[in-house]
Amino acid sequence: MERVLITGGTGFVGGNVAEVLTARGADVLCAVRRDPGPDFPWTWRLTDLSDPVDIDAAMTEHSANSVLHLAIDNDLIGLYSDRRAGFDAYVGMTRRIVDAANRAGARVGYLSTDWVHDGTSHMVPEDLPVSPVNLYGLFKALSEQTVLDRADAGFVARVGGVQGRHLTRPSSPREQDCGFGYFVLSLVDALSAGREFTVWQADDINGVASPIIAAEIGALLLRAIEKKADGILHLVGADAVTRRELAEKACAVFDLDPKLVKYGAVPDGARIPAPMPFDTSLSTPRTDEILGTSPGSITAQLRGLRQEVETGASAPLTA
């Protein structure tokens, strides 16, 4: 049995990963920084991720043979107001997690991002050197290198354009942002209620990605643990799409009225105070070979997401 410690289990992707791993028989412990409340569905432990001793204790108490490090500082604008704290929330925390995993003899899986690239290439393979253009991409790239250089056993898993349900905060409003996350269900929420939805169009935001549903990330991370993967993996969908194309495909899969979709400018205050990569699409040749999988099409990803919305159960594509 895989015994997995997860950081970031209260977050959007982390909750989906915990859900899928638990459903597939892994023994999961979420190391959380704050009490998640009585409705949190997975086993958890308050853990001070700034304290190596407490991280060691969490690893030991769970007898973890793997750790999936998903926790981040999600305030991308706030990173610019306190860069030292931001660096520690990414690179420092990753170093502490890796060192604890090494002491426990556990494998590390680090969740990274397509934003480690500058957005000037298309369908980037796993071996293209990184070229971040903002602090988020830089801190993620430095955290990747920390895992690659420091972990006795581990891998980096880049994701992008993540779509899905937020399992620990299902009632939170979903909003479009300058990345691709939440885009589909933001659109679905609006159109299902008969409201118009404006798809942002600009050349200085993330305009192209290769979306994947969050539940599929969980299935692929478990596969990576089981396969004892190392190096860099790309956990994304098969298709690179623009925001417009994603909106059109979402309307088709969810049977929504495309006439309610409008196209317009990015609202004031929505951008981060730094450049953003435009085309962050990723390809998966190395990942497919190592995991023995192939990425799902955008239509398959969206159908899985619709099934989740209608049934309330995660619907990853990878068995």
Side-chain angles (χ1 to χ4, degrees), residues 36-42:
D39 297 327
F40 191 72
W42 308 289

Side-chain angles (χ1 to χ4, degrees), residues 12-202:
F12 166 42
V13 177
N16 279 273
V17 171
E19 173 82 1
V20 172
L21 264 62
T22 301
R24 297 192 172 190
D27 190 342
V28 167
L29 175 67
C30 294
V32 299
R33 290 173 280 190
R34 290 171 292 277
D35 187 333
D39 297 327
F40 191 72
W42 308 289
T43 304
W44 57 275
R45 178 193 189 277
L46 281 179
T47 306
D48 183 354
L49 297 179
S50 68
D51 180 1
V53 174
D54 203 27
I55 300 171
D56 282 345
M59 297 287 294
T60 299
E61 290 171 20
H62 192 54
S63 301
N65 53 33
S66 299
V67 53
L68 292 176
H69 180 31
L70 282 61
I72 62 168
D73 179 350
N74 206 33
D75 182 3
L76 304 192
I77 295 175
L79 294 178
Y80 290 85
S81 63
D82 190 341
R83 298 189 183 198
R84 289 186 178 86
F87 181 90
D88 188 69
Y90 285 81
V91 187
M93 190 192 308
T94 301
R95 183 184 298 119
R96 291 188 290 272
I97 294 293
V98 168
D99 289 350
N102 288 345
R103 289 189 289 270
R107 181 171 299 275
V108 178
Y110 176 66
L111 195 76
S112 190
T113 175
D114 50 358
W115 280 33
V116 297
H117 293 290
D118 62 12
T120 62
S121 300
H122 186 68
M123 296 300 278
V124 170
E126 294 93 342
D127 62 353
L128 186 73
V130 298
S131 52
V133 296
N134 53 49
L135 281 182
Y136 173 62
L138 174 63
F139 290 165
K140 278 292 195 178
L142 292 172
S143 297
E144 286 187 2
Q145 202 60 47
T146 298
V147 174
L148 297 175
D149 290 344
R150 201 175 183 99
D152 292 340
F155 61 90
V156 167
R158 294 178 186 148
V159 301
V162 183
Q163 309 300 319
R165 302 171 298 142
H166 200 311
L167 301 184
T168 60
R169 293 198 299 272
S171 61
S172 298
R174 293 180 281 260
E175 297 180 356
Q176 182 178 193
D177 60 30
C178 286
F180 264 67
Y182 290 124
F183 180 91
V184 170
L185 290 188
S186 299
L187 180 147
V188 169
D189 285 352
L191 270 58
S192 297
R195 302 192 308 271
E196 291 184 347
F197 182 90
T198 299
V199 175
W200 299 346
Q201 301 281 274

